[in-house]
Amino acid sequence: MVNALPAAPPDFADDWPGWAQALIDRPLQIAIIVLVAILAIVLCHRVVAKLVAKISRTTTDDDGPSSQARLATRAHTAKSVLNSVTTVAISVIAIVLVLERLGVNVAVLVASLGVAGVGLGLGAQSLIKDWIAGLFMILEDQYGIGDTIDIGPATGEVVHVSLRMTTVQDDEGVLWHVPNGTIARVGNHSKRRHT
């Protein structure tokens, strides 16, 4: 009978380049991805801020303080929406790249998130509709805070506007909270057409 010799312990000196490279390369690649993502987010936010500042300067003193305030509100809303969209998009790309470097099967993860996204999209359909309608309402300057409007279920002064909802106070003091996606028509009594 032949005695089997125990296996010799692995000699790390023989495999130094392989494991050292694995310890250095992966964290370095992840750090570069995170750094590039942060720089891209900062750059996008600066570009958005410059665009919004340029749009805000398009009014003149003849337009009056109310139109300047309305334009500033629209610009601020557009800036926050664009900043959020760019931050989320860049962050998602960076997370996928980092997971790929860590050896996670990204294709399976993306497919799973796609199915979950469809379910979430169907469930949040009215909320997304409200946000899109609110964004277009703000960008098109259909009405603003202080305007007297008629939006079907409510007529009165606009006291609050957000991407999701418009709050109107009627003549009796009742506050009406109307989701932007349900507003089919708007009559703005504060804006008169000058001919």
Side-chain angles (χ1 to χ4, degrees), residues 96 100 104-114:
V96 168
E100 188 178 57
V104 175
N105 190 350
V106 179
V108 172
L109 183 64
V110 169
S112 301
L113 290 177

Side-chain angles (χ1 to χ4, degrees), residues 66-150:
S66 64
S67 74
Q68 289 176 350
R70 176 175 282 158
L71 184 63
T73 303
R74 287 172 53 205
H76 177 71
T77 303
K79 178 182 174 184
S80 66
V81 169
L82 290 172
N83 282 343
S84 297
V85 168
T86 55
T87 300
V88 168
I90 293 170
S91 299
V92 166
I93 292 169
I95 289 169
V96 168
L97 291 173
V98 166
L99 290 175
E100 188 178 57
R101 296 300 180 268
L102 292 174
V104 175
N105 190 350
V106 179
V108 172
L109 183 64
V110 169
S112 301
L113 290 177
V115 171
V118 169
L120 183 63
L122 291 174
Q125 190 174 2
S126 64
L127 183 64
I128 294 169
K129 180 181 175 184
D130 292 342
W131 284 345
I132 291 172
L135 179 64
F136 280 109
M137 178 272 305
I138 290 170
L139 292 176
E140 293 172 355
D141 194 25
Q142 295 174 6
Y143 53 86
I145 295 173
D147 287 351
T148 302
I149 63 171
D150 176 2

Side-chain angles (χ1 to χ4, degrees), residues 8-57:
D11 188 6
F12 288 111
D14 293 339
D15 197 28
W16 167 259
W19 68 268
Q21 186 175 0
L23 283 177
I24 294 172
D25 281 354
R26 213 175 264 167
L28 183 61
Q29 290 173 355
I30 291 172
I32 290 172
I33 290 169
V34 170
L35 182 64
V36 168
I38 291 170
L39 290 175
I41 289 171
V42 169
L43 180 66
C44 287
H45 286 201
R46 285 189 179 175
V47 168
V48 167
K50 285 184 180 182
L51 286 173
V52 168
K54 193 173 190 178
I55 292 170
S56 296
R57 288 192 299 264

Side-chain angles (χ1 to χ4, degrees), residues 149-168:
I149 63 171
D150 176 2
I151 52 176
T155 300
E157 182 182 348
V158 178
V159 293
H160 181 73
V161 176
S162 69
L163 285 179
R164 193 176 74 79
M165 179 176 298
T166 297
T167 305
V168 176

